[in-house]
Amino acid sequence: MPIDINEDNLKHGLLGLVIALVEIIRDALKHQALRRMEGGSLNDEEVERLGSALEEIDIAIDHMKEEQGISETVKSVRNGLDDLVDDVLDQMVNPERWAKEEVKK
Amino acid sequence: MSRETQEVDSKVVTSEADTRGRYLYCVAENSQEMDLGNIGIDGNNVYTIPYQDISGVVHNCPAQPYESKDNKVVEDWVMTHETVVETALERLGTVLPLGFDTIIKADEEEDPEEMVKAWLKEDYQRLREKLDKVKGKVEYGVQISWDTKIVSEKLIEKGQELKDLDQEIKSKPKGTAYMYKQKLEKLMRGKIEKEAERCFKDFYEMIKGVTDEIKVEKLKKEEEPGRQMLMNLSCLTDKDAKILGDELEKINNMDGFFVRFTGPWPPYSFV
């Protein structure tokens, strides 16, 4: 399938990719923050500050996606990555299926 | 009357132009030479080439694969391929469907018909075994999805831990509430995963009881927002579709669950 590149959709796609990556980093941060909170290494004030900061990041990202109209692009980048990881995991968990697909090729 | 014979004649002439290939739709458990009519790809005449008690279902074609850059054209071809296999299933009995674009080629001096026979002969043992396995059986597709929102709500209702956390969030300052919300979501995901596993096991047992063989297929993304596919199965059965249908109906009637039931298909996933 030919890829239609013009300045507009290039910008669109690139921005979508960047925001998708920012979202993934944010998710990793969230995960870490949660672990620390649950592990008890943060006091109440620190939890409050961390939560506020993360919430602000959420709001900023949502705002940007809406403003630039890239919600769908971001979603499709993340879905694409999810599918990729899914495939790799599926091959590791089901070596039989993987072997079969190799034979087919 | 004379016009009719002329038409038939001209067809014979055109089909002999380049017919070094035989396009194979499926192998059928049937020993008769049969004409299935012009139901093939591009309206080609589909007929059987028997060897002992099995036959290849074919049409005459050039000795090269069907190729097109136009997706719509390819889609039509594949659809026709499937319809022919279904017709063969109806008219000839048990069939082993073959993939799209399976073509047996013959060289200049060889008879393409003999080539098909030679292939049937060579692989007879293997084909015979597979035919016996799927004999009198058809395939059904079963896809079960659930509505994640309904499931989450039900889980909150049931789990005291989640309920407490849900309440606690409301009394916390903004940033802390956010963190607690993340915690709730994480707990929720874990619970949903466990619930999915439990449902999968339950449903699998239910379906296993009314089918001969189940193949677990890869999950697909649901088009419908808020829905998530739980299981995607191909089921082989020789029993009445109603038995499987009734069992699936039970699942479909559960709150938040949806079942997609397709078939009967030729046993594509089991050959």
Side-chain angles (χ1 to χ4, degrees):
Chain A
M1 209 177 281
I3 303 169
D4 176 24
I5 296 180
N6 62 41
E7 206 185 322
D8 231 29
N9 76 28
L10 187 68
K11 214 167 81 185
H12 207 80
L14 193 60
L15 213 58
L17 181 62
V18 170
I19 296 295
L21 290 174
V22 171
E23 275 190 4
I24 291 166
I25 295 167
R26 176 216 41 200
D27 290 348
L29 281 174
K30 246 191 224 178
H31 190 73
Q32 280 300 323
L34 208 55
R35 271 184 52 181
R36 283 185 200 178
M37 182 176 87
E38 283 172 341
S41 65
L42 298 173
N43 63 34
D44 286 356
E45 198 207 326
E46 282 168 330
V47 170
E48 174 66 23
R49 269 207 335 253
L50 205 53
S52 299
L54 285 168
E55 193 172 20
E56 267 164 38
I57 295 178
D58 273 359
I59 294 167
I61 290 175
D62 286 347
H63 186 69
M64 231 192 282
K65 283 200 289 194
E66 204 176 309
E67 203 176 61
Q68 301 290 334
I70 48 170
S71 295
E72 282 308 310
T73 319
V74 172
K75 214 198 246 162
S76 82
V77 170
R78 297 200 60 171
N79 281 343
L81 285 172
D82 279 353
D83 288 346
L84 194 75
V85 175
D86 250 15
D87 278 348
V88 173
L89 282 178
D90 184 62
Q91 283 176 9
M92 289 200 298
V93 179
N94 300 302
E96 273 172 41
R97 184 145 60 207
W98 173 67
K100 234 182 252 168
E101 265 162 37
E102 279 298 296
V103 170
K104 251 190 236 163
K105 276 175 206 160
Chain B
M1 190 66 190
S2 70
R3 212 175 144 245
E4 224 170 42
T5 26
Q6 243 177 9
E7 258 177 33
V8 171
D9 278 343
S10 70
K11 217 168 260 162
V12 171
V13 173
T14 45
S15 67
E16 266 177 5
D18 182 7
T19 56
R20 308 292 327 158
R22 290 291 179 275
Y23 181 101
L24 269 159
Y25 292 92
C26 55
V27 174
E29 182 175 45
N30 196 301
S31 57
Q32 276 170 26
E33 274 186 44
M34 243 167 116
D35 188 334
L36 298 179
N38 298 332
I39 57 169
I41 287 170
D42 293 340
N44 275 295
N45 182 259
V46 177
Y47 62 99
T48 61
I49 301 176
Y51 167 78
Q52 291 196 4
D53 55 348
I54 61 175
S55 309
V57 177
V58 303
H59 79 237
N60 299 352
C61 67
Q64 62 200 33
Y66 282 84
E67 276 172 339
S68 173
K69 287 210 170 75
D70 187 346
N71 278 338
K72 183 83 191 64
V73 173
V74 177
E75 223 170 80
D76 279 348
W77 284 341
V78 174
M79 291 285 279
T80 312
H81 179 100
E82 280 171 19
T83 339
V84 171
V85 175
E86 277 159 38
T87 311
L89 178 72
E90 269 167 39
R91 295 190 52 189
L92 305 172
T94 309
V95 296
L96 296 178
L98 294 164
F100 172 71
D101 241 351
T102 309
I103 293 171
I104 290 191
K105 284 184 242 180
D107 293 332
E108 283 299 313
E109 65 278 7
E110 289 164 333
D111 178 0
E113 221 124 300
E114 287 304 318
M115 292 298 289
V116 174
K117 277 189 190 176
W119 175 72
L120 290 173
K121 188 179 170 190
E122 196 184 317
D123 274 356
Y124 184 79
Q125 206 56 38
R126 190 178 61 88
L127 294 169
R128 192 63 254 176
E129 272 166 28
K130 285 196 173 169
L131 275 168
D132 286 337
K133 200 183 121 197
V134 299
K135 192 172 186 143
K137 293 175 187 171
V138 284
E139 176 176 331
Y140 291 95
V142 175
Q143 295 173 332
I144 303 175
S145 308
W146 67 7
D147 186 308
T148 37
K149 203 165 151 240
I150 297 178
V151 176
S152 310
E153 278 163 11
K154 267 200 285 187
L155 285 173
I156 290 190
E157 280 300 302
K158 268 200 289 184
Q160 197 55 46
E161 190 189 3
L162 294 171
K163 235 189 217 167
D164 290 347
L165 198 58
D166 202 31
Q167 281 304 315
E168 218 183 326
I169 289 173
K170 294 185 179 114
S171 64
K172 295 283 178 196
K174 202 170 144 278
T176 314
Y178 178 87
M179 288 307 290
Y180 273 70
K181 228 168 78 195
Q182 302 305 315
K183 193 175 162 185
L184 180 67
E185 274 172 25
K186 194 177 134 194
L187 266 174
M188 208 63 222
R189 273 198 296 274
K191 293 256 188 224
I192 287 182
E193 245 165 66
K194 272 220 189 84
E195 182 71 4
E197 215 168 285
R198 194 183 63 78
C199 291
F200 186 98
K201 275 193 197 132
D202 283 359
F203 297 160
Y204 189 90
E205 286 304 315
M206 280 170 82
I207 296 167
K208 200 175 140 196
V210 291
T211 52
D212 291 308
E213 206 178 327
I214 300 177
K215 216 175 207 171
V216 180
E217 310 280 358
K218 243 185 181 166
L219 296 181
K220 300 208 180 79
K221 281 237 156 63
E222 279 287 352
E223 303 277 323
E224 211 120 345
R227 280 197 199 175
Q228 191 187 16
M229 194 180 286
L230 269 185
M231 54 204 299
N232 181 13
L233 308 174
S234 299
C235 306
L236 190 69
T237 177
D238 60 354
K239 298 177 192 80
D240 194 346
K242 208 182 159 301
I243 304 173
L244 177 58
D246 283 349
E247 208 67 3
L248 294 175
E249 194 57 36
K250 282 186 210 159
I251 300 172
N252 201 31
N253 286 338
M254 294 179 192
D255 190 25
F257 288 91
F258 308 92
V259 178
R260 203 175 299 135
F261 182 35
T262 56
W265 309 110
Y268 282 107
S269 313
F270 298 91
V271 296

